[in-house]
Amino acid sequence: MTTDLRYPIGRFAYPERATPAAIASAIERIDAAPKALRAAVERLRPEQLDTPYRPGGWSVRQVVHHVPDSHVNAYVRTKLALTEDDPVIRPYDEQLWAALPDTASTPIETSLLLLEQLHRRWVALLRACDDGAFARPLRHPEIGSLTLGQLIIQYGWHGDHHIAHITALREREGW
């Protein structure tokens, strides 16, 4: 753990090589993320959901809606990597997405259910892939070239990262 509230489990760094063990661990973390996110927000009141996880940061509500927003993109990126040769994936502005009106008006249950169902599909796909599939390349315009395995490792971290934002806030606030 770190004392930097932005990175409660530490910053992500792409591994030079995505090993089968690291990929398998990431898939397990992706599989566990929906249940862990649901547990992290259990019994929070509306005013708690609207509390930023850190000064200047997103509210808990925004974090909950962000995770499926991001993971929908990751799922599409996975499919592109599996079906196209070295696809260029499209970035999006997470800050602007988090500020859209649906983030404030949609119950978090909608995003929790979306994440659960999305991860069922995504994990089923990932578990059906062989090692060669995880070596498939893709390119992010801002990050550069990476493999599907590296992307999956990033998203194993990503869910844990945002869940830790919420659980660390709850711990600090005594919720």
Side-chain angles (χ1 to χ4, degrees):
M1 296 292 180
T2 177
T3 57
D4 185 340
L5 298 179
R6 294 172 301 168
Y7 301 100
I9 62 170
R11 286 182 179 263
F12 178 75
Y14 286 101
E16 191 172 315
R17 184 174 160 276
T19 65
I23 293 166
S25 174
I27 293 169
E28 291 307 312
R29 291 161 66 194
I30 290 167
D31 190 31
K35 184 176 180 181
L37 182 59
R38 183 175 288 282
V41 297
E42 188 174 41
R43 294 187 306 276
L44 288 181
R45 296 183 313 274
E47 63 272 14
Q48 293 170 321
L49 292 171
D50 292 326
T51 302
Y53 74 88
R54 67 173 174 86
W58 287 339
S59 69
V60 171
R61 182 181 314 277
Q62 286 174 303
V63 172
V64 171
H65 290 305
H66 163 73
V67 174
D69 283 349
S70 177
H71 291 201
V72 162
N73 278 283
Y75 176 70
V76 170
R77 291 168 178 177
T78 299
K79 290 233 175 187
L80 289 170
L82 292 171
T83 60
E84 297 181 12
D85 292 328
D86 199 19
V88 175
I89 57 176
R90 190 174 187 285
Y92 67 100
D93 189 324
E94 296 174 348
Q95 297 297 329
L96 292 177
W97 282 42
L100 287 171
D102 66 314
T103 300
S105 64
T106 303
I108 63 165
E109 181 64 19
T110 303
S111 282
L112 293 171
L113 289 170
L114 174 59
L115 190 69
E116 288 167 358
Q117 297 309 311
L118 172 65
H119 279 221
R120 287 178 87 179
R121 283 280 305 273
W122 193 18
V123 168
L125 174 61
L126 294 173
R127 287 185 173 149
C129 290
D130 61 21
D131 290 346
F134 294 110
R136 292 188 58 87
L138 58 154
R139 285 180 287 128
H140 190 291
E142 298 162 357
I143 297 167
S145 294
L146 58 150
T147 65
L148 178 57
Q150 289 170 310
L151 182 80
I152 297 309
I153 291 168
Q154 177 190 16
Y155 279 93
W157 170 88
H158 185 261
D160 292 348
H161 165 71
H162 286 301
I163 292 162
H165 283 146
I166 298 166
T167 57
L169 172 66
R170 288 187 78 152
E171 186 175 310
R172 288 192 312 275
E173 295 295 325
W175 298 342

